[in-house]
Amino acid sequence: MKRIVVVAALALIAALPLPAQAQARTSATNSGEGSAGTAYVADRDTKIDVMGEWAHPDDDTSIIGPCGVWHQQYGVKCGVIMVTRGEGGGNAAGTELGPELGLRRENEDRVAHYRSGTVDIFNLDRIDFFYNQSAPLTQYFWDEEETLRRVTRVIRETQPEVYIGFTPTLAAGHGNHQQAGRLIWEGVLAAADPTKFPEQLKGPNALSTWQVKKVFSGGATAGTGGTTTAANCTTGFTPTGLDTVAGVWTGYDSPYKWPAGNVQGQPAGTPKIWQQVSDEGRAAYPTQSRVMFKGTSTPACPRFGMTQSFVPFQPNANAAAGRDDAILFGATKPDPGGLPLGTLEYLTFDRFYNVAGEPFHATVHLKAPKGKLAKGNVMLNVPAGWTTDGPKPVPAKPSADITFTVTPSATATVDQNAKVAATYTTAKATGYTDNVVRIVSAAEGRFQRWGNWQEYDEWLATTAPQANRLGRSPAIQSMGIGQTIDLPVVVHNWSAEPQSGAVSLELPANFTVDAASKPYDVQPGADTTVTFKVTNTDTALPAQQNVSIPIKTTYAGGAGGESLTLTLVPTTAIPQATPVVDGKADPGEYPGPTLDLGRIWQGASTCTGVDDCGVSPTGEGSTAKVSWSDDALYFFIHVRDDYQSYAVTPAECVGHWQADSVEILLDPRGNASQALMDTANTFKLGIFPFSQSGGPCWERDADNHQGYSSGSLDTGNAPGVQVASTAQWVGSNETTVPHAYAGGGYDLEVKIPLADLPAAVDPSRMGLNITPYDNDDTSAAGTTTLRHIDMSTRLGWSALGSVQSDPYRWGLATLPGYTPPADRPTTPAPPNVSNPNLNGALSPQTIAQSARNGVPISGRVPTTDLKILSAALRGSSVDVVTNSRGSGTARAFLTTGELGAIPLWTTSCALAADPPPDYGLTPCAVTDGGIPPWSPDMSGHLVKQATQNVTDGVQRWTIPLTAAQRATLANDGRLLVSYETPQNEVQAFDLKLSGRR
């Protein structure tokens, strides 16, 4: 709830009246949602004008500069919904992992945004599990419904007008990013829907439904014109797409000054421009390998493509759309057209996919903010050659839905979006809106989607139809070289008449098909499937693994089509043999074919050739051989490398991409992608060939049971794995010591018991890949110490971008003669990600924010059960007296100093010349940019913490202090308390501990 601050000599009394916001919620509840009583209205402490939503800290840096300008120039308050704290990522700045890393990354994100006035970052406490490209897998780990419930509560609590974030499409890449984008669309719909999470609209903390006014998620921003050198930087900008684009100039002076002695040579006391503040913020993530920004920024014009609007706005053809506050029109500022702020105006269609020459219906929705709409008329503007009826009158009523019939031109271009615009005109004002439809073939043939692509198209159809404007899924498939697969094409009839014709494929070289074309007949609104058998005739993996296969569908009067991207993957047969794991490939141990690992799939710029990273088009670089014996796989891997990277400690034997390593990837059933679980159904072993403890170490990452797998930290997730390595550590992580590998590389021999895999191996189809990671000199500029940081060249047997996350793009292996034990399950066990996420009730920064703005911790259900009757700083303790209506867990954090943005870098700039919150972000020497210690006390800001089991009634508890702790708290100490009930309800308090005790 709201922050409770009491200044007293000896005691802090927290039994105060409810703040105004809580009183408003109570009155709204007492009146009943939807009745004549007062609805919930967020006060200014809680209200957010522009909300962003992203998956991980550092995803959100695009709004730093824009929010700073909007905040300074127009009084706009930005906020961020952060779904995870990034606990699953690497840590290049310290040893924190899991929740401890989440606490550190939360602070980095707050530092990045703090100067822009974006002090409210709503962490939802979802688990950051590993890199993937699957929204369904993300939903599995995030508990999809609970995450949406939290997003919806935050929206209803903060009532944002504008929403910005990731695209929901598969183009977002990371599955966490895709799902974060989807949560924008789903959250906007849910927050406005009284049937969605209705419990939030009732009771002592009742909220109201809320309509976000504008959405910028996945919109295109490409175009011509505009400027980066002057204010109102989108003036003259013409989008190349159909989305309305709003921009903001980041060349405005910020309130932050250049300190004396800055290395950039800027005059002391002159203002930094907002782009400078933004670029410094983008660098504020040392755990993610970012370094202190020491450059000088030039103004820019960040732009945002609008994908949905419920209010009138200015199209880019109008001069007002070029203003730096155009994104706010109709949302936080009245639209220049003159309609009252709060007027709703938007356009919907009875169907998005339409056929040339066939009519559809468009409806303009209007609603007055209060009273009645002004009389006037509405007319549509349609593409050339299209027709529509109207104009049509607008009655003087509170709202109106006015429907038009629109007929596309008979020659309208297929497979293309088209814009329909509506203008509402009154005696004194006009309001503009638009939306898009898509013209498709009367009979449309699409490759039959599967896996993540099928699931995305189903999401469009059933959950967020408006997002269809961003495009459906691409056509993707894979096959092994020399194999035959079925290629089904689904023909849908979008027209009102029966359709017939033929489907044909245009095959590249080294492919054959059972028939050049095949006929179809399909009724209106129905589907039919045409299946081809396609055979690849390659005998070796071609240089280009991805090939394009155009699919053409003819019908009476025309033709349409799409192109399938088909990935060719390598294949092998793994023979039976009896290897001994000794780091040598003795005769007879590996009689099978040699696998070429010398193909780069990422990081080519850091590879100079075969000796450097083992790349070789002729197979003379890094290679592997594989055998099986009894119930285990054996690997002999030869890696060519000229520079030995950083040597990890046992605690750093995770995140294999941050040092020289090899990863072995196994999909036991060969169908992890088809099952929508991706690498969560696989086994992935990351092997460091040497470590600071001497020999190799290994771990499992981004798979069915990730975590440490060797040494004292072994979690038992890979029993029986054996590794022999010929690599010997040079004994130092200093570049002043020679770092060449003896013999120009190293060999690994590895045994993996097949019982360690998450399911029984299918001997006719096992997914397999082997991916070496090559890191060279990773020392920071001007230093001689190697780092545990990703600067790698990534190679593999099947080498495609992000192949580590896509089992369908791994190679395929057979195991002739192998039969798995009869009792071994063929269905993988539920995945175990090992590292849990941080509970927001354990984050002092989150608790302080919740106490200040009233939004419950993590968007969870609030409670008012606990009251803090007093809290006193004594001679050697803090004594707390509480009164509770039930049981729960209270966690106390005694803190000092400013928690909103704890400095990330060391700097030699004088504090007086560079005070908080800018302090620590400007260098005054080339050696600045060191990283101050974080754990275990949040860089000295966490003095003490304690946990108390709360029972019903009055309770007294004591937090012991040392003399030094007491002295620190006497100056500027605070007591932060989070409270959790067994029902997962939460409460937050922030009490000031000031004055002498």
Side-chain angles (χ1 to χ4, degrees):
M1 305 307 292
K2 290 290 187 183
R3 180 178 64 187
I4 303 172
V5 181
V6 182
V7 180
L10 297 176
L12 301 172
I13 308 300
L16 298 177
L18 287 172
Q21 178 189 2
Q23 292 172 343
R25 294 178 188 175
T26 301
S27 64
T29 302
N30 291 340
S31 67
E33 180 68 15
S35 69
T38 303
Y40 166 77
V41 177
D43 64 24
R44 198 55 195 162
D45 284 341
T46 306
K47 171 76 174 176
I48 297 294
D49 299 307
V50 177
M51 183 72 83
E53 182 188 305
W54 287 275
H56 316 100
D58 77 12
D59 290 341
D60 53 354
T61 57
S62 61
I63 66 166
I64 295 174
C67 282
V69 173
W70 295 329
H71 182 64
Q72 181 185 43
Q73 299 289 326
Y74 313 116
V76 163
K77 183 180 175 186
C78 287
V80 174
I81 294 176
M82 189 57 60
V83 187
T84 82
R85 288 182 176 82
E87 296 94 336
N91 184 356
T95 60
E96 298 87 3
L97 296 171
E100 291 77 16
L101 178 57
L103 193 69
R104 186 168 190 170
R105 292 197 66 184
E106 176 182 345
N107 177 65
E108 291 177 343
D109 208 37
R110 291 185 183 277
V111 171
H113 291 273
Y114 192 82
R115 293 179 296 168
S116 297
T118 306
V119 297
D120 289 324
I121 298 180
F122 304 94
N123 288 282
L124 301 185
D125 296 357
R126 302 293 85 189
I127 192 165
D128 178 36
F129 49 99
F130 50 71
Y131 181 78
N132 66 93
Q133 295 199 81
S134 171
L137 183 62
T138 301
Q139 295 159 17
Y140 174 89
F141 280 113
W142 282 2
D143 185 349
E144 179 183 12
E145 188 72 358
E146 175 60 22
T147 304
L148 179 58
R149 179 181 285 106
R150 296 185 183 195
V151 168
T152 302
R153 177 175 288 278
V154 174
I155 293 174
R156 288 172 172 171
E157 290 259 9
T158 62
Q159 299 184 331
E161 309 292 343
V162 178
Y163 215 143
I164 297 173
F166 280 130
T167 178
T169 69
L170 283 80
H174 197 319
N176 290 182
H177 296 177
Q178 296 174 36
Q179 186 61 21
R182 291 194 194 188
L183 286 167
I184 294 173
W185 295 80
E186 295 176 12
V188 168
L189 291 169
D193 184 353
T195 69
K196 197 68 175 175
F197 310 120
E199 73 280 0
Q200 297 179 359
L201 308 175
K202 299 178 286 189
N205 299 289
L207 304 171
S208 299
T209 56
W210 180 253
Q211 180 63 69
V212 172
K213 308 307 186 298
K214 290 183 172 182
V215 179
F216 295 79
S217 167
T221 58
T224 59
T227 182
T228 60
T229 61
N232 300 318
C233 61
T234 309
T235 300
F237 179 81
T238 301
T240 53
L242 300 181
D243 299 327
T244 295
V245 176
V248 56
W249 190 54
T250 54
Y252 292 99
D253 288 343
S254 79
Y256 305 107
K257 311 295 184 183
W258 287 100
N262 64 83
V263 297
Q264 291 94 333
Q266 300 299 303
T270 60
K272 297 178 178 180
I273 63 171
W274 274 111
Q275 188 60 45
Q276 181 75 31
V277 175
S278 176
D279 290 338
E280 291 170 355
R282 289 176 192 272
Y285 301 90
T287 65
Q288 303 310 293
S289 305
R290 311 288 174 87
V291 295
M292 187 183 204
F293 183 70
K294 298 179 181 180
T296 304
S297 302
T298 56
C301 186
R303 296 192 171 104
F304 305 89
M306 188 169 68
T307 46
Q308 190 166 27
S309 179
F310 296 92
V311 294
F313 58 89
Q314 295 292 301
N316 286 110
N318 291 3
R323 288 167 42 180
D324 292 328
D325 57 349
I327 197 170
L328 310 174
F329 294 161
T332 69
K333 302 184 69 171
D335 181 72
L339 291 175
L341 183 64
T343 301
L344 299 186
E345 179 184 8
Y346 58 99
L347 184 62
T348 62
F349 308 108
D350 64 340
R351 54 191 251 176
F352 177 77
Y353 296 102
N354 291 281
V355 175
E358 294 192 4
F360 63 92
H361 293 113
T363 300
V364 179
H365 306 269
L366 298 167
K367 185 176 181 180
K370 58 183 178 179
K372 298 179 180 180
L373 295 164
K375 285 187 176 180
N377 66 66
V378 174
M379 65 178 297
L380 297 187
N381 182 23
V382 295
W386 295 33
T387 62
T388 185
D389 48 349
K392 297 191 176 184
V394 175
K397 294 182 177 180
S399 63
D401 298 321
I402 303 166
T403 298
F404 297 80
T405 299
V406 178
T407 304
S409 165
T411 59
T413 304
V414 299
D415 297 328
Q416 184 172 292
N417 287 359
K419 181 182 292 187
V420 176
T423 303
Y424 166 38
T425 304
T426 73
K428 298 182 179 180
T430 61
Y432 172 92
T433 191
D434 63 42
N435 205 345
V436 300
V437 295
R438 188 168 184 83
I439 301 298
V440 291
S441 303
E444 182 186 42
R446 300 178 76 225
F447 169 70
Q448 186 175 68
R449 299 318 196 248
W450 60 281
N452 293 328
W453 300 271
Q454 178 184 7
E455 190 274 344
Y456 174 70
D457 285 354
E458 290 172 352
W459 178 80
L460 288 176
T462 60
T463 303
Q466 172 68 16
N468 271 292
R469 67 182 290 155
L470 304 176
R472 290 172 287 180
S473 68
I476 302 288
Q477 184 55 287
S478 66
M479 67 182 298
I481 58 171
Q483 296 186 345
T484 298
I485 62 168
D486 285 344
L487 198 158
V489 178
V490 179
V491 182
H492 181 80
N493 185 353
W494 291 104
S495 75
E497 301 294 332
Q499 297 291 339
S500 62
V503 180
S504 59
L505 307 180
E506 184 179 326
L507 294 175
N510 299 326
F511 283 87
T512 62
V513 65
D514 60 337
S517 67
K518 295 189 178 185
Y520 73 87
D521 289 284
V522 61
Q523 295 298 307
D527 293 330
T528 189
T529 301
V530 176
T531 301
F532 297 87
K533 283 195 176 296
V534 174
T535 300
N536 173 252
T537 58
D538 284 300
T539 57
L541 190 65
Q544 176 55 259
Q545 285 187 246
N546 287 330
V547 298
S548 179
I549 299 180
I551 301 171
K552 182 179 180 181
T553 304
T554 61
Y555 56 93
E562 68 171 358
S563 288
L564 168 69
T565 298
L566 182 66
T567 298
L568 287 169
V569 301
T571 61
T572 192
I574 299 175
Q576 185 176 9
T578 310
V580 176
V581 181
D582 56 7
K584 299 181 296 181
D586 290 328
E589 288 189 329
Y590 296 95
T594 298
L595 310 184
D596 178 10
L597 309 185
R599 299 162 65 97
I600 295 176
W601 53 273
Q602 209 167 87
S605 63
T606 55
C607 176
T608 60
V610 60
D611 291 332
D612 176 8
C613 69
V615 62
S616 173
T618 60
E620 297 302 314
S622 296
T623 59
K625 285 178 170 287
V626 189
S627 295
W628 71 268
S629 179
D630 295 328
D631 195 37
L633 288 173
Y634 292 80
F635 298 82
F636 184 81
I637 301 168
H638 172 65
V639 175
R640 292 189 64 170
D641 190 0
D642 64 349
Y643 192 94
Q644 191 177 99
S645 77
Y646 176 86
V648 299
T649 65
E652 294 168 329
C653 189
V654 289
H656 55 271
W657 54 89
Q658 296 182 100
D660 285 354
S661 66
V662 172
E663 186 176 38
I664 299 172
L665 308 89
L666 301 170
D667 178 3
R669 308 303 297 173
N671 66 353
S673 295
Q674 291 84 339
L676 293 177
M677 293 299 287
D678 286 9
T679 61
N681 273 8
T682 72
F683 177 97
K684 298 175 64 182
L685 190 72
I687 304 166
F688 297 83
F690 60 90
S691 66
Q692 290 186 33
S693 60
C697 66
W698 53 96
E699 47 86 39
R700 289 179 62 178
D701 176 74
D703 71 348
N704 186 258
H705 190 174
Q706 68 178 28
Y708 296 100
S709 304
S710 66
S712 61
L713 298 175
D714 185 2
T715 59
N717 62 359
V721 166
Q722 297 177 28
V723 177
S725 173
T726 63
Q728 298 294 319
W729 183 36
V730 299
S732 173
N733 280 321
E734 291 299 312
T735 59
T736 53
V737 172
H739 273 258
Y741 279 104
Y746 59 91
D747 296 330
L748 293 176
E749 192 166 19
V750 183
K751 174 186 176 181
I752 299 177
L754 292 175
D756 289 356
L757 275 57
V761 163
D762 179 351
S764 67
R765 182 184 170 86
M766 182 185 74
L768 168 67
N769 209 5
I770 303 171
T771 56
Y773 290 75
D774 178 83
N775 277 29
D776 292 329
D777 184 350
T778 58
S779 59
T783 71
T784 61
T785 304
L786 297 177
R787 296 175 293 171
H788 188 219
I789 183 176
D790 179 20
M791 295 174 60
S792 60
T793 299
R794 304 179 178 190
L795 305 97
W797 183 42
S798 183
L800 298 134
S802 297
V803 73
Q804 82 273 29
S805 66
D806 298 326
Y808 77 96
R809 297 200 293 184
W810 299 353
L812 293 172
T814 60
L815 283 74
Y818 171 76
T819 301
D823 60 349
R824 186 165 296 163
T826 56
T827 301
N832 180 344
V833 296
S834 301
N835 285 331
N837 50 297
L838 179 67
N839 175 357
L842 294 172
S843 166
Q845 291 177 314
T846 291
I847 296 166
Q849 175 180 303
S850 178
R852 170 178 51 80
N853 66 19
V855 181
I857 293 169
S858 315
R860 290 151 67 181
V861 178
T863 182
T864 56
D865 281 0
L866 185 69
K867 292 190 181 344
I868 299 180
L869 301 180
S870 68
L873 181 61
R874 306 296 187 188
S876 60
S877 66
V878 170
D879 296 341
V880 183
V881 180
T882 61
N883 188 8
S884 178
R885 291 197 294 255
S887 63
T889 301
R891 296 181 176 89
F893 300 85
L894 297 169
T895 66
T896 182
E898 172 58 61
L899 284 185
I902 299 172
L904 303 169
W905 312 113
T906 58
T907 180
S908 57
C909 295
L911 178 59
D914 192 23
D918 206 43
Y919 171 70
L921 290 162
T922 308
C924 285
V926 293
T927 54
D928 286 350
I931 303 170
W934 172 261
S935 294
D937 57 2
M938 298 175 65
S939 294
H941 289 260
L942 178 60
V943 178
K944 185 73 180 284
Q945 65 186 75
T947 299
Q948 178 71 22
N949 293 323
V950 173
T951 57
D952 187 45
V954 176
Q955 196 170 1
R956 293 172 173 80
W957 44 297
T958 297
I959 306 172
L961 300 174
T962 66
Q965 289 170 336
R966 185 194 177 284
T968 299
L969 293 170
N971 291 328
D972 64 351
R974 305 198 75 86
L975 170 64
L976 301 172
V977 177
S978 67
Y979 178 64
E980 294 179 285
T981 72
Q983 293 75 38
N984 203 33
E985 300 162 326
V986 288
Q987 199 171 353
F989 301 87
D990 183 350
L991 303 163
K992 185 177 181 182
L993 298 172
S994 62
R996 299 185 61 83
R997 299 291 188 265

